[in-house]
Amino acid sequence: MMTIHLQQLKFFAHHGVYKEEQILGNDFVVDVILHFMPSAFPVKELQQTLNYEQVFAIVQHHMNIPTPLLETVVGKIVAQIQQQFPQVKAGMVSIAKMKPPVKGWEGNVVVSFNW
């Protein structure tokens, strides 16, 4: 099994249930881990592995669509990865909201989906 990690992908987006979040936006960090069997080993050609640029494009697309819940965004990213890359056998997608609009909150909140 081979694994590709897309780590610390940074986005500014307008996800959130509060009007303030939808207007002002927030910083987000996305991590993607994908486990798959390459079609050849050793891998010598791009078509024998996962094109992480295409995976990034999926993440970027969904991060650019304002959505109230991060759970929805994570689910849509996972569904598209599974559809576009059937060779992926397991994985994880997480989205961290870096500054949740909660008074006194210091830190971030992360929503992730593992399969």
Side-chain angles (χ1 to χ4, degrees), residues 3-37:
T3 303
I4 290 182
H5 299 252
L6 284 76
Q7 298 178 318
Q8 302 290 305
L9 304 175
K10 293 177 175 44
F11 297 93
F12 184 82
H14 297 270
H15 304 305
V17 295
Y18 301 114
K19 192 74 167 168
E20 173 186 298
E21 295 177 286
Q22 297 166 6
I23 294 168
L24 299 176
N26 206 328
D27 293 315
F28 295 86
V29 176
V30 179
D31 291 304
V32 179
I33 300 172
L34 302 174
H35 305 284
F36 66 100
M37 288 301 295

Side-chain angles (χ1 to χ4, degrees), residues 11 13 21 29-30 39 43 47 52 56 64 75 77 82 85-86 93 95 105 109 112:
F11 297 93
E21 295 177 286
V29 176
V30 179
S39 63
V43 175
Q47 61 269 20
Y52 57 80
F56 174 76
N64 285 331
I77 291 169
Q82 289 176 327
F85 299 101
V93 175
I95 303 175
W105 184 300
V109 63
S112 61

Side-chain angles (χ1 to χ4, degrees), residues 13-113:
H14 297 270
H15 304 305
V17 295
Y18 301 114
K19 192 74 167 168
E20 173 186 298
E21 295 177 286
Q22 297 166 6
I23 294 168
L24 299 176
N26 206 328
D27 293 315
F28 295 86
V29 176
V30 179
D31 291 304
V32 179
I33 300 172
L34 302 174
H35 305 284
F36 66 100
M37 288 301 295
S39 63
F41 193 81
V43 175
K44 295 183 179 181
E45 303 289 333
L46 182 58
Q47 61 269 20
Q48 297 169 332
T49 186
L50 291 181
N51 184 330
Y52 57 80
E53 185 176 7
Q54 292 175 352
V55 175
F56 174 76
I58 291 169
V59 173
Q60 184 177 44
H61 169 76
H62 291 288
M63 290 303 293
N64 285 331
I65 301 171
T67 307
L69 295 175
L70 293 179
E71 291 86 346
T72 304
V73 182
V74 165
K76 289 183 175 188
I77 291 169
V78 168
Q80 190 171 350
I81 288 171
Q82 289 176 327
Q83 178 183 14
Q84 193 166 329
F85 299 101
Q87 67 270 44
V88 172
K89 302 302 179 199
M92 186 277 304
V93 175
S94 70
I95 303 175
K97 183 183 288 189
M98 302 314 292
K99 299 172 215 134
V102 178
K103 187 175 179 142
W105 184 300
E106 291 197 29
N108 55 44
V109 63
V110 178
V111 172
S112 61
F113 187 85

